[in-house]
Amino acid sequence: MSAGGEHLKDEGSRRQVVAAGAIAGLVSRFCIAPLDVIKIRLQLQTHRYSQRHDGIKPAISSTRGTVPTFIAILREEGVIGFWKGNVPAELLYITYGALQFTTYRLMTQALHYLPLARRLPSPVESFISGASAGAAATTLTYPLDLLRTRFAAQGPVKVYHSLLGSVRDIVRTEGAKGFFQGLGAGVGQIVPYMGLFFSTYELLRPPLADLQLPFGSGDAAAGIFASVFAKTGVFPMDLIRKRLQVQGPTRERFAGGMVPLYGEGVWSTGREIVKKEGWRGMYRGLGVGLMKAAPASAVTMWTYERALRAMNEWESMVEK
């Protein structure tokens, strides 16, 4: 069961929503970190697997598929390699989760106060609120997302040795705009994704909650279905975002030097990928992306609902 209320906008105070969103982001990131690293490595692979674009042998193994990539990371970088970029990623997920749920709640409440004659259907309301929440959270946390990607893309030879060092290096070599490489693709991907996710989640959550699944997992099941549906539709934009995030002076030091140089712009990058790799290239890493997105969304929504319920129960006990 959920924390109270048929829809997310009806649950908890603003302070509780911020705290629950941050907790959900923290727990979700820790659980899916290895899959996230594998997905990023796959998204940065191109059609040229055997050599770098300058003809030099790659610094890390160039592999096809999820399992070979997993084995290569384990062999060359050890278990710790699956948690590369975890510090900026944890900061990202905590901040993103808090901003996402807070903005979603504020938007749904604002839309609910429209005059009755102008009131939107519930699925449309959820889509607009989810899209707004995704756009706001993505824009405000984008530098952390870029740092997460760059750390995860590092092989045994490190490009950055610390979080602070990476910030200094990007500022020195790329300027402030370096932290926002690929932001257009990021927002272009997250707006439809979060809109589809929240509208699907709000639609499935009530009937699944009535099924009385074990451990209150109706919220998790709704999160899984919503995530798989939304992620599949917007995956090409996610791939373009990852390719753009590692552009810049250090591009050839990521992913074994296999990431091509792309011109500025989302559409030009997309055309270049399709031209050289075909449409399949736009879905590189989709399988592991869904393997990551489904449990991540399930854990996020389940933890969010449980955290809200725990805070409500705690405050009720204190008041008594």
Side-chain angles (χ1 to χ4, degrees), residues 120-226:
L120 299 171
S122 184
V124 177
E125 184 181 276
S126 297
F127 184 94
I128 293 173
S129 299
S132 301
T138 296
T139 303
L140 292 172
T141 63
Y142 196 79
L144 290 171
D145 185 36
L146 181 135
L147 290 171
R148 179 272 302 258
T149 297
R150 292 197 178 187
F151 272 99
Q154 293 185 137
V157 180
K158 291 186 177 181
V159 180
Y160 306 120
H161 294 275
S162 68
L163 182 59
L164 184 59
S166 68
V167 172
R168 285 198 298 259
D169 192 55
I170 292 172
V171 169
R172 185 181 69 252
T173 60
E174 303 174 53
K177 70 176 185 179
F179 291 103
F180 294 92
Q181 292 262 24
L183 176 61
V187 174
Q189 174 244 339
I190 206 66
V191 165
Y193 173 76
M194 294 310 301
L196 289 169
F197 175 81
F198 275 108
S199 56
T200 306
Y201 178 78
E202 293 276 31
L203 182 67
L204 295 176
R205 181 169 164 256
L208 287 175
D210 292 340
L211 294 178
Q212 299 296 322
L213 297 173
F215 308 109
S217 56
D219 299 316
I224 290 173
F225 287 124

Side-chain angles (χ1 to χ4, degrees), residues 5-184:
E6 185 178 350
H7 299 287
L8 292 176
K9 67 180 175 63
D10 303 319
E11 299 178 354
S13 65
R14 186 177 302 180
R15 177 175 55 81
Q16 289 175 335
V17 169
V18 171
I23 293 169
L26 175 67
V27 175
S28 174
R29 167 61 200 181
F30 182 79
C31 293
I32 55 87
L35 290 173
D36 193 37
V37 171
I38 294 172
K39 179 182 79 78
I40 289 172
R41 296 286 180 89
L42 288 172
Q43 286 181 313
L44 296 178
Q45 290 180 0
T46 67
H47 66 306
R48 297 180 183 178
Y49 288 91
S50 58
Q51 64 178 31
R52 288 167 39 135
H53 289 270
D54 53 12
I56 301 173
K57 184 179 179 181
I60 59 176
S61 291
S62 197
T63 53
R64 289 182 185 268
T66 302
V67 174
T69 300
F70 172 85
I71 294 172
I73 294 172
L74 186 63
R75 183 179 64 247
E76 298 173 7
E77 303 168 53
V79 175
I80 196 172
F82 293 106
W83 273 268
K84 280 193 171 179
N86 199 49
V87 173
E90 287 286 8
L91 292 173
L92 166 66
Y93 274 62
I94 291 170
T95 310
Y96 189 97
L99 288 169
Q100 170 186 258
F101 285 107
T102 302
T103 307
Y104 182 81
R105 181 174 184 268
L106 290 173
M107 280 298 299
T108 50
Q109 289 179 338
L111 291 172
H112 194 69
Y113 287 127
L114 288 173
L116 193 60
R118 298 183 178 180
R119 189 76 54 82
L120 299 171
S122 184
V124 177
E125 184 181 276
S126 297
F127 184 94
I128 293 173
S129 299
S132 301
T138 296
T139 303
L140 292 172
T141 63
Y142 196 79
L144 290 171
D145 185 36
L146 181 135
L147 290 171
R148 179 272 302 258
T149 297
R150 292 197 178 187
F151 272 99
Q154 293 185 137
V157 180
K158 291 186 177 181
V159 180
Y160 306 120
H161 294 275
S162 68
L163 182 59
L164 184 59
S166 68
V167 172
R168 285 198 298 259
D169 192 55
I170 292 172
V171 169
R172 185 181 69 252
T173 60
E174 303 174 53
K177 70 176 185 179
F179 291 103
F180 294 92
Q181 292 262 24
L183 176 61

